[in-house]
CSV table of all heavy atoms in Angstrom, one decimal:
chain,number,residue,atom,x,y,z
B,4,ALA,N,-41.9,-70.7,35.8
B,4,ALA,CA,-42.8,-71.8,35.5
B,4,ALA,C,-43.2,-72.6,36.7
B,4,ALA,O,-44.2,-73.3,36.7
B,4,ALA,CB,-42.1,-72.8,34.5
B,35,ALA,N,-9.3,-51.3,47.4
B,35,ALA,CA,-9.0,-52.7,47.5
B,35,ALA,C,-9.4,-53.4,48.8
B,35,ALA,O,-9.5,-54.6,48.9
B,35,ALA,CB,-7.5,-53.0,47.2
B,69,ALA,N,-18.5,-54.1,67.4
B,69,ALA,CA,-18.4,-52.7,66.8
B,69,ALA,C,-17.0,-52.2,67.0
B,69,ALA,O,-16.4,-51.5,66.0
B,69,ALA,CB,-19.4,-51.8,67.4
B,88,GLY,N,-17.5,-34.7,73.4
B,88,GLY,CA,-18.4,-34.2,74.5
B,88,GLY,C,-17.8,-34.3,75.9
B,88,GLY,O,-18.5,-34.1,76.9
B,98,LEU,N,-16.2,-40.1,60.3
B,98,LEU,CA,-15.6,-40.3,59.0
B,98,LEU,C,-14.3,-39.6,58.8
B,98,LEU,O,-14.2,-38.4,59.2
B,98,LEU,CB,-16.6,-39.9,57.9
B,98,LEU,CG,-17.8,-40.8,57.6
B,98,LEU,CD1,-18.7,-40.1,56.6
B,98,LEU,CD2,-17.4,-42.2,57.2
B,102,GLY,N,-12.7,-41.7,54.2
B,102,GLY,CA,-14.0,-42.3,54.4
B,102,GLY,C,-15.1,-41.6,53.6
B,102,GLY,O,-16.0,-42.2,53.0
B,109,VAL,N,-19.1,-44.8,46.5
B,109,VAL,CA,-20.2,-45.8,46.6
B,109,VAL,C,-21.4,-45.2,46.0
B,109,VAL,O,-22.1,-45.8,45.2
B,109,VAL,CB,-20.4,-46.2,48.1
B,109,VAL,CG1,-21.7,-47.0,48.2
B,109,VAL,CG2,-19.2,-47.1,48.5
B,123,LEU,N,-33.0,-50.9,31.4
B,123,LEU,CA,-33.7,-52.1,31.3
B,123,LEU,C,-35.2,-52.0,31.5
B,123,LEU,O,-36.0,-52.6,30.8
B,123,LEU,CB,-33.2,-53.2,32.3
B,123,LEU,CG,-31.8,-53.8,32.0
B,123,LEU,CD1,-31.3,-54.5,33.2
B,123,LEU,CD2,-31.9,-54.7,30.8
B,124,ILE,N,-35.6,-51.2,32.5
B,124,ILE,CA,-37.0,-51.1,32.8
B,124,ILE,C,-37.6,-49.7,32.8
B,124,ILE,O,-38.8,-49.5,33.0
B,124,ILE,CB,-37.2,-51.7,34.3
B,124,ILE,CG1,-36.4,-50.9,35.3
B,124,ILE,CG2,-36.9,-53.2,34.3
B,124,ILE,CD1,-36.7,-51.3,36.7
Side-chain angles (χ1 to χ4, degrees):
Chain B
L98 285 176
V109 167
L123 288 167
I124 60 175

